Amino acid sequence: EGPPVVDLLNVAATYTRSKLLEIKEEVDSAVVYLDSATAEILRWTVGGSAFLFTLGAARVLALPDIEVTVASSHSGRVTTPNVSRVLFFLSSFLPEYKSRIKDVLSSHVFSECIVYLSFSESAHAHYPELGGGLFNSYMAMMKDWMRSKSSPQAPVVVIIPLPLSCAPLTGDLFVTPASHTCCPPVSSDEQDDLADYSQEILRLSHSLDGCLKTLGVKASTWSLGPFARRVQEKMAQLPTESDDEDESGAELQPASLILVDRTLDLVSPMRHSENVFDQIANLLPAVCQTSNDVTVRMSAVLPGITTPSAVSDEDICPGSLARLPHEKTACSLLHSLMCLPPKEALNA
């Protein structure tokens, strides 16, 4: 008998929920900013911002992906009185968010800032040394940005690694939203041709490593193709805290991770046929650029609304395809929409 199959839905949801519960005190009465990748992870694991509100968050806001829109997007938005703490949940390398964090901190009065980052400080080794360590340098910069607004308290800034990398769509399928732009070259084995992908390779390597930690598995990694081989090499260079146990002391489950370049993977496209999920994704708008979820206008199905056309999209929170692991019927239906032929899926 082989090792038990990892239940992606429950394991990822339990991991994410436990991590957020550990920082409940920090979330309470705070303004929370999520980048789009982290927002998607929370949507598929704990129900999104609703769970943060149950932990006491005062506001939950999106951190825009396009930096040029940050100033206009955040100006005057945080109006909750007596809120002195701001939290950032970020899914990639800290320098990528520098200008966006600066715009938020210099536009509002906060005395405390906590950054929860999916990647550790050692993952930033490819960035130039700023003296005293990259995290310490950024904490000093962030304090200066906070001092630009009048505050009766001296600013406090903390950067804490918090691996949130895995968004499970079904029991046997997960995505890494932080690497949504990762698209390997069509064909090449030359180092020069992969040089432009070095940042994407690093991001994907750390994201996959975070997924393995989330799932509590110890993986033997195999690769096929030049891009996959580079990812495998980077993952092999990442430090490991323990060979046989996760951070909680639980025994790691053995697993195999097979990385295949898209140009060498003939099985997936040959077995894939159009399904209902594809049709829904093509017809309805995505939640955001990184999202595998869609927005569904709910006014037509809500009781008491006789003139849906008179209801603004901003008045009602849109529906989506995301579901929680304990919602067994919804999970089964989503799996059918993804995996079954259209006629069978509609009858499921």
Side-chain angles (χ1 to χ4, degrees):
E1 182 178 354
V5 177
V6 175
D7 184 348
L8 290 178
L9 295 178
N10 286 299
V11 171
T14 300
Y15 173 88
T16 305
R17 180 182 292 270
S18 65
K19 289 298 182 183
L20 294 177
L21 288 174
E22 290 175 4
I23 58 174
K24 182 180 184 300
E25 184 176 346
E26 288 75 14
V27 175
D28 188 26
S29 302
V31 173
V32 180
Y33 282 91
L34 306 174
D35 71 357
S36 57
T38 303
E40 180 170 14
I41 292 170
L42 298 187
R43 188 181 305 113
W44 288 96
T45 53
V46 296
S49 58
F51 184 74
L52 295 175
F53 284 122
T54 65
L55 299 182
R59 298 285 298 275
V60 179
L61 302 172
L63 189 65
D65 292 315
I66 303 175
E67 298 184 10
V68 295
T69 66
V70 174
S72 60
S73 297
H74 294 296
S75 179
R77 290 191 62 183
V78 182
T79 58
T80 306
N82 302 321
V83 174
S84 60
R85 184 187 307 119
V86 60
L87 310 183
F88 293 93
F89 287 83
L90 309 176
S91 62
S92 190
F93 300 108
L94 183 58
E96 297 177 7
Y97 303 93
K98 180 178 177 180
S99 63
R100 286 174 278 179
I101 294 176
K102 180 180 179 180
D103 284 331
V104 173
L105 296 182
S106 60
S107 301
H108 306 95
V109 180
F110 295 113
S111 61
E112 183 179 357
C113 174
I114 305 177
V115 177
Y116 293 102
L117 196 64
S118 288
F119 299 159
S120 65
E121 186 169 17
S122 62
H124 294 71
H126 60 292
Y127 283 97
E129 175 59 48
L130 300 177
L134 185 135
F135 279 13
N136 285 334
S137 299
Y138 268 80
M139 286 189 286
M141 283 190 289
M142 292 164 68
K143 289 179 181 180
D144 290 338
W145 300 334
M146 295 168 71
R147 290 191 187 99
S148 66
K149 303 293 289 184
S150 58
S151 174
Q153 303 179 22
V156 176
V157 178
V158 183
I159 301 175
I160 302 174
L162 180 65
L164 294 176
S165 304
C166 178
L169 274 60
T170 68
D172 50 14
L173 172 65
F174 70 86
V175 294
T176 56
S179 297
H180 72 281
T181 60
C182 184
C183 189
V186 174
S187 63
S188 176
D189 198 12
E190 298 294 332
Q191 293 292 334
D192 292 342
D193 293 325
L194 291 177
D196 294 337
Y197 294 86
S198 58
Q199 187 79 345
E200 294 293 343
I201 289 173
L202 280 171
R203 185 182 296 108
L204 179 58
S205 301
H206 287 286
S207 293
L208 288 174
D209 184 64
C211 288
L212 296 178
K213 292 178 179 178
T214 297
L215 301 176
V217 300
K218 176 185 178 182
S220 298
T221 307
W222 311 84
S223 64
L224 180 62
F227 188 91
R229 184 165 59 252
R230 288 286 296 277
V231 175
Q232 179 191 18
E233 292 170 353
K234 290 297 180 183
M235 293 187 67
Q237 297 170 5
L238 300 180
T240 55
E241 298 179 0
S242 173
D243 291 335
D244 300 308
E245 297 179 349
D246 62 15
E247 59 184 23
S248 66
E251 183 178 355
L252 296 175
Q253 298 291 336
S256 295
L257 176 63
I258 304 174
L259 306 173
V260 183
D261 278 13
R262 61 191 179 106
T263 53
L264 300 177
D265 179 16
L266 299 179
V267 176
S268 297
M270 289 179 64
R271 293 191 60 187
H272 180 80
S273 58
E274 184 176 357
N275 53 53
V276 179
F277 183 87
D278 289 336
Q279 296 174 0
I280 293 174
N282 289 330
L283 288 173
L284 299 179
V287 174
C288 60
Q289 182 183 5
T290 66
S291 182
N292 292 277
D293 200 1
V294 297
T295 59
V296 182
R297 182 165 178 167
M298 302 299 293
S299 57
V301 298
L302 292 177
I305 299 179
T306 56
T307 57
S309 59
V311 180
S312 170
D313 289 336
E314 298 180 355
D315 295 335
I316 302 175
C317 182
S320 73
L321 297 177
R323 74 295 154 275
L324 296 176
H326 68 271
E327 299 169 340
K328 301 300 183 183
T329 301
C331 291
S332 176
L333 178 59
L334 184 61
H335 188 273
S336 298
L337 295 179
M338 287 185 174
C339 301
L340 297 181
K343 288 185 179 180
E344 295 182 25
L346 293 175
N347 293 325

